[in-house]
C-alpha cells in the first residue's frame, strides 16, 4: 500500500487532535456530503475514517477504512454502498497510548442494535472514566468489540430502561465524564451533544432543507452549508425532518471551558470558533507576541504551515519584513532509505528546505505554534544556521506545553514534554538559539478576545496543557498513577 | 490503487513542467541519493519516476514506477534492487497531447545496450524534430519501444560510428533540435548536457568525493550536496571517479535563451537559477506589479501556493496588508462523488476554502502566477465574492500566456489559451473582476535582473509563451499545421 | 484484488459446507499450525478465515481476512502478529441468505472479554433458535457486532453467573438449539464441543506434547498429528497443558444423527469419519449404484473431481472401463468477459472440457455426487453430446436432494431444488439424458456401513436434505414460514 | 499481492513448457477470445500473459501482466482497452536460466513499428542461435529492450529490405535456428509459422467466419471453434478476412521431429496432437508400461494429476485395482510459515495427502509421468510408507530424463538430472523404493503409434531429453560450454 504522507511536516513533534465528526440529515446522497465534510476535517485525524448511513430499503450501511478520506471515500462503489438521506462520519487519529495497532473495529462510528431500532454514534474527545465504566459493564455481561472508550456509550445506552434512543443517550452521557462532542443518528434523527464544559467544538449548519453537524465550520463551507450556530456546552440537539431542531439540556449546568489550543493549532485557520476567526486569532497572537517579546531582526519567517498567521501578525506589528525562509515540500514523504553516507537532519529535509538566499546573513525571527519535545525545533535551527543566518530567534505562539491533555488530544507522557522539566531559559540553551520566547498565558487570552487576560479564579478556557489546571479530574489516569499539580507547583 | 492527489490545487489550469532529472556518481548507495533528489524535484513531474544504476556485480539495474517517488522509491526492497555507486533518475509529467495513456515503457531513463557497453539516458525538455528523426530511424530498421521522443537519442547513438559512448552522444545530440537538459550514464561515467540555448536548467553539485547533476539546486540541498555551478548552455560534462569533471562544447555556439517561466512558476522558490533566488525573483515580480498596476485595496491575498512570494512583494511595495484570504486544504483530493444536490464550484472547494472572516467587506487584491484557461480564476473570484468581499482585483505575476510552449512544457492548444483570443480588458470582463492586470514583459525582465527590460533585438530569455517568439523552430508542429506568429501580429 | 478461483467447478450448483474449525494447544508457534490446519479444511469454506492466539506477553491476538488461507496466512508478518502456544481458527463460507455482503466482523472466531478473562470461540454448524435468542439478548442490553448467529454464544456466556469460562460455555450451549461443533479457547484451555446429535464432525489429535481439534482428520495429517478419536456427540472436552483432556457431558443424552452428506460430498476423501474412510465410502456408493442401477455402456466417467471415487466404484463393479471423459481446467476462472458472438455454455467451458476423442461414439455413464438445481448437469450433458457421445446415462451418488439443510449447509430455497418438484423420471426428461438414476436412501446407508439400510423408526444419520426428516426443529425458519413435511408427503 | 498457487503440485520437480500462443481474426471482440484461449493454455506458462489487438480507430493496443489470465484478463476495463477483430496473445513461464527477475517488458507478444505499419509477434519455443544474432544486431545499431531471445525476430524484420511484413518475417525466420511456433499479426493479417522440424505444436481452427491459431486444440474447444488442421512443420499461413488462409513454405524441407514430451506431459490430456488424443496416448503408455514392467501388487495409484491416465492404463492392462491413494489439495499453497516444531515433508503436505485407509498394508504401484531431480519422488515414497503401505513400486511414464531441452522447455542443468548420473538401479536405491521402472524409448514410441518403435536411423520425434540426440545443434549453449553426447556415450 502506498504510504500515507504525514499529516503535518513535524507530525511527531506536535500535539494532535484525535478526531473530527460530521453528520447530515435531509439531503439526497447523505454519504457524499459526509465524505466531503470528513475531507474538510482531515486535519483532525488521518489514520482512518468511517461513515454510517440509513436508508429505508437497505437499513443501516457502513464503511470503515484506514487511510485518507480522499483515497477511500471517493470511489463510486463505496459511496453507492452507503445509500440514504441521513448519515454520520468520523475521522480518527491513533492515540499514542494504544497497545499495538489500531484494528478496523476500533474505527468509529460505532453501531448498536437496540430493541427499538439501531443507532450509530461517533465522538470527538475523551472519556476520562472509561476504564471504570468498562469494567463495570463487562461485569454485567456486556461484550466489548473494540479497544475504544467510546464503545462505553453504546453499551450504557443498551442497558438504559428508557424507551427512545435520545432518552437512552441522555442516560448514557450522564454517566460519562470528560470531554466529548457527539454526533449520532437513528433511522430518523440526527443528534448532536457537547459535554457540559464544551471542551471540543461542534457546529450546526443548514443545507437546503436539511441540516448538518460538524466539528468545524470549514466542513460546512465545503458542502455549501450555511453556518447557523454552535451547539452550546451541555446542549443536546435532536434533528428530524419533520420537527427540525429540538434542543435539550441533559446535564447539570457548568461554566464553559472551551479548549484554547483549538485556537492555537488544532482547528483550521478558515474556521470560526466561538464567533472568532481562527486565522485572525492566530494573527493576533503574533501581534501580542511582538509586543511581549520584541527583538531586533531582519526577517520574520513562519515555520510552515501552522506558524504562518502568527508570523504575519508578528511582522506587521514589529515592522520587520515577512518572508518565506523555509519552503515546505508539497510532496512530503515520511521515510526514505537513508544512504550509508549519512545525511544530516534527513527527516527534516524530506519535508522542508531553507531558502538559503533569503536567510543568509540575516537575523531571523522564526515563529512556530508550539514546542512539544523540542527535537524538530533544534533541527530547524541547525538548518537555518547552516544556511548562513546571522541570528535565530524563536517566538512561540503558545505558552510552554508542560502538561498532557486527557480530553481527546494525543500528547506525549509528561516527562517527554520539554517544558515539563525546563525553564524558558533552559529551553533556549537546549535549542541553541539566540533567544526563545513563548507568548504568556495572559497574552494568549488577550489574543482570543479576553481583554483582561485569564480570569484565574474562574478561567474562561481549558488550558490544562499549559497550566496543569484540569477542569475534569482525569480519573482513569489518576488510577494509573498520574500525579496532578500540587498547590506548591 | 489509492488515487494520487493532484500536484497543485489548480493543476488542470496551469502550464506544467514535464520533467526533472537527477544523477550522481561516486557515492555508496547511489539509488538512495537519486530517490531523494527526485523527491525534491517531484514538482517537475508527478506521473511516474524511474531510476537506473550500475554495479560491477549486477550490471545495470532499473526500476520504473507510476506515482510519487515517496510511494515507490522509499521501499527497502526497491532501493536494494538498485545497487551501485552511480545512478540517474527522472520524474515525468504526461503530455496532454499523448494519445491514450502513458505506458510504463514510456517512463525514462531509457537504456540501450551498445557493442561497447550499456548507457542510460534521461532528459528534460522536448525535441522539436523528433517525428522526422523517428520516421528516418524506423525506415532504417530501428524498433521504437516507447512513444517518447527521447528514445530517438538512444537510437541515434546506436547508429553512430564513434567508438565511445560520450562521442556517440555528441553525434546524436548534434542531430537533435529543441530544448534538452540530458543526464546520462555509462558503467563509469556520469554525463550532463544542455542544449545550445540552455532552455532548461541543469546544475552541478559536489557531495563528499562524488558529484551530482540535478535540474534544480533544491535537489542538491536535500542530499546535502554543495552547489558548484550551472552546466552552461551548449556544454557537455563527462564525470568519472578518476578524472573528475571534463567539459566539452559539442555544439555551434549560440546566445543563451533560458526559459523565463522557470522563474515565474516551474522551479521551486528555494532554488537558485542563473545566480538568482527564485523566491526573491518572484517577490520582485510582486514589487514590479505593485508599481505598474497599483490599486486602492484593503488586503493582498496570494492564490496559494504559487502566488505567495509575489503577493508578499506586492503587499510590501504597496503598503496594503498581506493576509491569507484563501486557505489550501493540505489533503487535496482530485475527485469526490458529487451529491445529486449540486455543490457550486465543488472542484475548487476540494482544494481550498475562502477565509470568510478575513475577506468580508474588504477590497481584495488576488495575486496569482499566471492565467492559462481562466476557468479556475473565475471560480476563485466567485468564491471570494460569495464570502462577502467588496471588490476583487486580479494581479498576475506573468504576462498574458498567448502561445504554447514546445520546449518541454505541457500547454493547452493555442485556442484554449484565454490570452490568445482576448485583450486584457476582455479577459477582465470574462473573469468578472473589478480589475485585472498582468505584469508587462519588460517588468518581468526587470524582476529577473535585466534593468533595461527585454532586449527585443536579441532577447535574453526564451519567452515564447508570452511573445510567440520561438528561438528554435518547432518543425514537427509546423508540419502538423501550427502557424507561427506573422510579422503583422 | 485478484479474483478468487471458485472452490469447485460447479460451485453454484452444489450444497456447500459453511465452516471448518481448528484448534491447537501446547505447541510452539500455534498460529502456524492453525494456518496449516485451516488450509487443509479450505474446502469447507473459502470466503474468509480467522485465527486467534494467546500469549503471556501480548495477550489475545487476532487476524481475520477475506480470501484463501494460502493468500493471507502464509505471510511471516501475519503469523508473527499471532504469537502463542494456543490458538484456534475458522474458515467460512457465506450463507446464501445473508442480506448484502459479509463484513469482516462477521468472520469467526469471535472474542469476548469477561470479568474472569477473555475467550475466543468458533463454530461449525447452525443455531436454529438464533433469531429468538438474539431478540431476547438485545432486549436485555447486549450489543451485537455481527450478523452471525454464533455471536449469541458469546453473549449468553457473558450473562452467565458461572465463575469459569467452561462452565459459562455449558450454560450458554444449553440454551442453544441446532447443529454445532465448537472450538474455543481461554488463556490456558482449548475446548471442543459437539451438539447432542453430533451433526457436524470434530476430531481430537495428538501432536508432540500438545493437542489439536479439527473438523476433519485431513487437518491432523497436514500437521503431522496423530488421530486420537472423535469428540462424541454431546461431549465437551477441556484441554489444558497441565491436566490433559477432560471430558464432560453437559447435555441431555440423545441418539446421534451424524450428517450423512459429509460422507457424500462435504468431507475430503482422505478424511476418516466415524471410523470409515470417506474415499472408501464413496467408492462403495458407486458399487451400490452399479448394483441398483446398471446400464449397458462403454465408458464410466466421473464429473470431476467429486464424482471420481463413486465412478471408480461403479466401473469396478460394472466392469465397464473407467476413463476421464471430462477434463478439469486446473486454473479455473469464475468469470471472463463473454464476447459478443456468444459461446455456448461458456461458464462450464471455463472449468472443464470434454475429452472428445474418448467419448466420441461411446455410451457414457456420467457419475456425479448430487443434483441440486440441475443447471450444470444439463450443460455437461450438452457438451458430452456435442462431442459425439452416443448415449448419456447419469448416475448420482446421493438420493434426490429435496429439502434444504438448516444445520450449517448452504442450500437453495426449497423451490429451487430440482427434486423438490420433480420425480426421477421428470428430472430425466428435464435433463434430456438417456437415463438418470439416484442411489436409494437405503443403498446410501448400506454404503456407509449400515448393512440393513436406514432404520426408519430411528434413523442412524441426519438425512433431512433427502428425507425432510429434521432431527431438530428449525424454529427460526418455521417462524419465517418454512413448512415442515406433512405426514401425507 | 496474493501469492500465485503453483501450476502443478510438484512444480519445481518437473520439466516445464515455457509458452503458449493464441491468435484470432475475423471475430468481434477478439481480445475476449484471446483471453479465453490463453486461459485454456495456462498450463503452458503461468508467470505472465500478454495480448495485443488492432482496431481501425485505436490502432494497436496491448496489455501485459504478471500472473494468471483469470486474474488479469477477466476485467472489463482491461478487455475494453483491447478493441478490435484481430488479436494475438501469449502465456509464458520464466526460464530458470534468467539472471534476476523477469521484467514486464520481457513478456510477449512483442510489437514493432515498421515503415509499412506495425506488427506483433509471439512465439513458443527457443531460438538456439539467439545470442549470436543479438550480438550481430547490436553491432549494427539495434536497441534491445528485453532479455528475451524472441526480440531478435522483430529486429531482423526491421532490417529486412522486403516490402511486406509477411515477406520480412520469412526473411527473419530464415536466419533463426531452433524450435519455434510463431503467431503474429499485422493490421489485417494473422500469421502462423512452425519451424522446419515442427518441434512445438500449432493448430488452426475455424470460428464462425473467422479463424484461430493455438498451441493446442483445447484452446479451440473453449471458444467453440472447430479444429481444422495442424499447421505443418515448415509451413507459414497468412490469414486475412478477404483472402482466407494462404499457405507458404519459406524453409528448406526437413523431416519433422515433433517433441515427444508434449505427449507425455506438456499438453493437456483433452488436446489432439498429430491426430492422436493425448489422453489416449498417456493411457496407452500405461498399458505398455504394464507389459514391460509388470509387478505383483494390490493397488495402482496415480501421482496426481499428471500420472492419472497412465495409471488408468496400467491398472486396466494389469488387472490390479485402480485407486486414489494420494489426494491433491485443491487449494495448493506454495509456502506456509513452518512452525519451529518441524513438520516432515511439509512442502509436499501442502499439496497432497495420502489416503491412509486405502494404502495401508497394500503393495502399491505409483505411476508418475517423469522423474527429474527425484526429490519429490522420495518424499512421496516416504509419505506412502508412513501411511502403512507394504511395498512401493514406481512406474514412470517416460524414459529417464538425462539431457536438458534447448527447444523451449525449462530443464535443470544436466548435473541436476537424476538420470544423467545414475542408472535405473541406482535411482531405485536412491529413491528407496521396492522397484523402479521407466518405460523404454521404444515403448514410448509404440504408445504414440509407431508400431515399430523408434527408427534410430531417422527418428520420428525429437526425444533429445531422453536420448541426447539433438536435431538442431544448440549453438549458443555449445559456445557457453555445453558438451554434446559423444559417440561413445
Amino acid at each position: 500500500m502506498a504510504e500515507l504522507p504525514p499529516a503535518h511536516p513535524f507530525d511527531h513533534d506536535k500535539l494532535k487532535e484525535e478526531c473530527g465528526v460530521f453528520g447530515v440529515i435531509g439531503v439526497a446522497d447523505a454519504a457524499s456530503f459526509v465524505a466531503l465534510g470528513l475531507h474538510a476535517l482531515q486535519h483532525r485525524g488521518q489514520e482512518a475514517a468511517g461513515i454510517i448511513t440509513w436508508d429505508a430499503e437497505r437499513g443501516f450501511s457502513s464503511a470503515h477504512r484506514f487511510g485518507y478520506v480522499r483515497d477511500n471515500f471517493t470511489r463510486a462503489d463505496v459511496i453507492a454502498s452507503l445509500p440514504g438521506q441521513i448519515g454520520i462520519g468520523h475521522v480518527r487519529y491513533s492515540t499514542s497510548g494504544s497497545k499495538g495497532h489500531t484494528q478496523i473495529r476500533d474505527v468509529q462510528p460505532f453501531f448498536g442494535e437496540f430493541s427499538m431500532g439501531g443507532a450509530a454514534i461517533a465522538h470527538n474527545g475523551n472519556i476520562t472514566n472509561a476504564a471504570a465504566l468498562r469494567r463495570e459493564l463487562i461485569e454485567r455481561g456486556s461484550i466489548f468489540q473494540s479497544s475504544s472508550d467510546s464503545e462505553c456509550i453504546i453499551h450504557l445506552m443498551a442497558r438504559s430502561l428508557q424507551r427512545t434512543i435520545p432518552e437512552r443517550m441522555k442516560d448514557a452521557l450522564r454517566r460519562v465524564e470528560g470531554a466529548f462532542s457527539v454526533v449520532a443518528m437513528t433511522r430518523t434523527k440526527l443528534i448532536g451533544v457537547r459535554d457540559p464544559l464544551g471542551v471540543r467544538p461542534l457546529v450546526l449548519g443548514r443545507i437546503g432543507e436539511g441540516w448538518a453537524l460538524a466539528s468545524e465550520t470549514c466542513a460546512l463551507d465545503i458542502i455549501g452549508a450555511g453556518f447557523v450556530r454552535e451547539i452550546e456546552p451541555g446542549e443536546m440537539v435532536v434533528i428530524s425532518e419533520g420537527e427540525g431542531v429540538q434542543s435539550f439540556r441533559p446535564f447539570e449546568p457548568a461554566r464553559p471551558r472551551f479548549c484554547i489550543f483549538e485556537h492555537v493549532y488544532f482547528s483550521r485557520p478558515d474556521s470560526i470558533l466561538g464567533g472568532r476567526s481562527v486565522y485572525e486569532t492566530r494573527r493576533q497572537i503574533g501581534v501580542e507576541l511582538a509586543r511581549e517579546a520584541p527583538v531586533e531582526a531582519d526577517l520574520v519567517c513562519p515555520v510552515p504551515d501552522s506558524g504562518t498567521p502568527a508570523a504575519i501578525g508578528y511582522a506587521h506589528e514589529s515592522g520587520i519584513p515577512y518572508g518565506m525562509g523555509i519552503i515546505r515540500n508539497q510532496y512530503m514523504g515520511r521515510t526514505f532509505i537513508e544512504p550509508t553516507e549519512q545525511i544530516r537532519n534527513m527527516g527534516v529535509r524530506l519535508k522542508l528546505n531553507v531558502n538559503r538566499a533569503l536567510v543568509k546573513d540575516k537575523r531571523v525571527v522564526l515563529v512556530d505554534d508550539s514546542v512539544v519535545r523540542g527535537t524538530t525545533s533544534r533541527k530547524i535551527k541547525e538548518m537555518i544556521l547552516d544556511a548562513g543566518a546571522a541570528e535565530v530567534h524563536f517566538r512561540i505562539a503558545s505558552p510552554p506545553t508542560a502538561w498532557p491533555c486527557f480530553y481527546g488530544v494525543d500528547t506525549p507522557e509528561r516527562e517527554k514534554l520539554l517544558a515539563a522539566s525546563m525553564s524558558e531559559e533552559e529551553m533556549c540553551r537546549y535549542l541553541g538559539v539566540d533567544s526563545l520566547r513563548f507568548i504568556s498565558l495572559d497574552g494568549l487570552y488577550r489574543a482570543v478576545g479576553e481583554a483582561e487576560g485569564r480570569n484565574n479564579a474562574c478561567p474562561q478556557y481549558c488550558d490544562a496543557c499549559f497550566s496543569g489546571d484540569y477542569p475534569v479530574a482525569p480519573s482513569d489516569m489518576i488510577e494509573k498513577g498520574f500525579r496532578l499539580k500540587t498547590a506548591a507547583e
Side-chain angles (χ1 to χ4, degrees), chain A:
Chain A
M1 196 186 69
E3 189 193 11
L4 286 179
H8 182 274
F10 313 113
D11 207 34
H12 60 288
D13 201 14
K14 289 287 167 189
L15 302 191
K16 278 173 291 284
E17 183 63 43
E18 285 170 14
C19 300
V21 292
F22 190 88
V24 72
I25 187 170
V27 295
D29 314 323
S32 321
F33 286 97
V34 179
L36 285 164
L38 295 179
H39 175 61
L41 298 172
Q42 188 81 79
H43 60 290
R44 298 182 76 85
Q46 298 83 39
E47 193 193 33
I51 297 178
I52 294 187
T53 60
W54 183 86
D55 172 68
E57 193 183 330
R58 289 270 306 269
F60 287 90
S61 303
S62 70
H64 297 81
R65 302 287 168 97
F66 284 108
Y68 287 163
V69 177
R70 70 158 191 249
D71 292 333
N72 289 303
F73 292 96
T74 48
R75 292 172 39 197
D77 60 333
V78 173
I79 295 299
S81 75
L82 295 165
Q85 306 202 359
I86 180 168
I88 65 171
H90 189 266
V91 286
R92 77 171 259 142
Y93 198 91
S94 62
T95 54
S96 60
S98 80
K99 259 170 73 185
H101 297 298
T102 306
Q103 304 273 332
I104 196 73
R105 63 177 184 238
D106 292 329
V107 180
Q108 302 188 41
F110 290 119
F111 176 77
E113 189 74 46
F114 309 123
S115 47
M116 71 286 283
I121 186 166
H123 105 298
N124 169 210
N126 189 49
I127 300 174
T128 51
N129 65 334
L133 286 173
R134 192 183 181 96
R135 265 198 314 273
E136 189 184 330
L137 284 159
I138 287 174
E139 199 70 49
R140 304 208 180 170
S142 293
I143 296 288
F144 278 73
Q145 289 297 330
S146 75
S147 65
S148 170
D149 295 344
S150 330
E151 200 186 336
C152 286
I153 301 171
I154 282 282
H155 285 290
L156 288 169
M157 287 171 69
R159 290 179 175 273
S160 163
L161 298 173
Q162 296 290 344
R163 294 281 175 81
T164 70
I165 287 171
E167 290 305 316
R168 284 187 167 202
M169 190 174 298
K170 288 179 194 171
D171 256 17
L173 292 176
R174 285 187 195 112
R175 290 291 322 278
V176 154
E177 296 167 9
F180 49 85
S181 284
V182 168
V183 167
M185 66 182 276
T186 69
R187 287 168 294 184
T188 57
K189 292 182 176 63
L190 179 67
I191 301 170
V193 195
R194 278 176 89 190
D195 64 76
L197 304 185
V199 176
R200 296 279 145 237
L202 190 65
V203 299
L204 176 68
R206 186 81 167 132
I207 170 165
E209 297 301 298
W211 300 89
L213 292 169
S215 289
E216 296 181 34
T217 59
C218 65
L220 302 180
D221 294 342
I222 202 172
I223 63 163
F227 169 48
V228 176
R229 64 173 178 88
E230 298 199 343
I231 303 306
E232 291 176 30
E235 184 184 10
M236 168 192 260
V237 292
V238 177
I239 312 174
S240 58
E241 293 203 48
E243 302 174 80
V245 180
Q246 292 175 288
S247 172
F248 302 91
R249 293 283 172 175
F251 308 107
E252 305 272 330
R255 281 179 188 272
R257 298 285 295 271
F258 182 63
C259 168
I260 204 163
F261 215 86
E262 291 276 354
H263 282 289
V264 170
Y265 177 73
F266 297 145
S267 291
R268 258 177 47 177
D270 47 337
S271 286
I272 307 290
L273 292 179
R276 295 183 61 81
S277 152
V278 173
Y279 173 83
E280 184 50 30
T281 294
R282 288 180 193 168
R283 211 191 67 91
Q284 196 58 37
I285 292 174
V287 169
E288 289 286 338
L289 203 43
R291 290 176 190 156
E292 290 189 354
V295 64
E296 290 263 319
D298 307 306
L299 185 70
V300 176
C301 288
V303 176
D305 285 348
S306 49
T308 303
I312 291 172
Y314 194 102
H316 189 264
E317 180 69 15
S318 66
I320 304 169
Y322 171 83
M324 295 166 67
I326 301 174
I327 304 294
R328 179 177 173 177
N329 183 337
Q330 294 187 38
Y331 309 93
M332 288 189 298
R334 202 186 286 276
T335 54
F336 270 76
I337 307 304
E338 184 141 9
T340 319
E341 314 191 1
Q342 266 205 335
I343 296 177
R344 279 221 312 160
N345 299 326
M346 176 158 148
V348 175
R349 283 175 199 272
L350 291 174
K351 295 163 185 167
L352 53 77
N353 191 20
V354 175
N355 188 343
R356 310 172 74 89
L358 184 63
V359 305
K360 187 156 168 43
D361 299 331
K362 298 242 177 70
R363 295 167 299 173
V364 180
V365 180
L366 278 182
V367 182
D368 203 351
D369 57 86
S370 58
V371 169
V372 179
R373 289 182 179 84
T375 46
T376 312
S377 308
R378 277 181 80 148
K379 286 172 184 167
I380 290 172
K381 182 264 311 179
E382 281 179 32
M383 290 180 73
I384 294 275
L385 290 179
D386 282 357
E391 296 175 12
V392 175
H393 303 272
F394 260 109
R395 291 297 174 270
I396 309 300
S398 58
T401 306
W403 295 89
C405 176
F406 300 123
Y407 307 133
V409 172
D410 185 34
T411 26
E413 289 154 23
R414 199 176 172 217
E415 47 271 36
K416 291 189 182 145
L417 296 170
L418 201 63
S421 57
M422 289 189 193
S423 67
E424 203 169 285
E425 208 168 306
E426 288 167 330
M427 285 190 266
C428 182
R429 273 200 302 274
Y430 172 79
L431 296 181
V433 288
D434 294 283
S435 77
L436 164 70
R437 293 292 299 279
F438 293 83
I439 195 169
S440 68
L441 198 47
D442 277 324
L444 176 58
Y445 271 74
R446 279 193 300 274
V448 295
E450 301 290 335
E452 306 300 310
R454 187 180 199 252
N455 175 349
N456 288 327
C458 180
Q460 305 93 316
Y461 284 86
C462 175
D463 54 14
C465 52
F466 307 131
S467 66
D469 169 6
Y470 291 93
V472 180
S475 50
D476 286 347
M477 292 309 295
I478 290 169
E479 200 180 308
K480 284 193 198 165
F482 177 74
R483 202 176 52 79
L484 285 177
K485 189 176 183 177
T486 56
E489 278 179 291

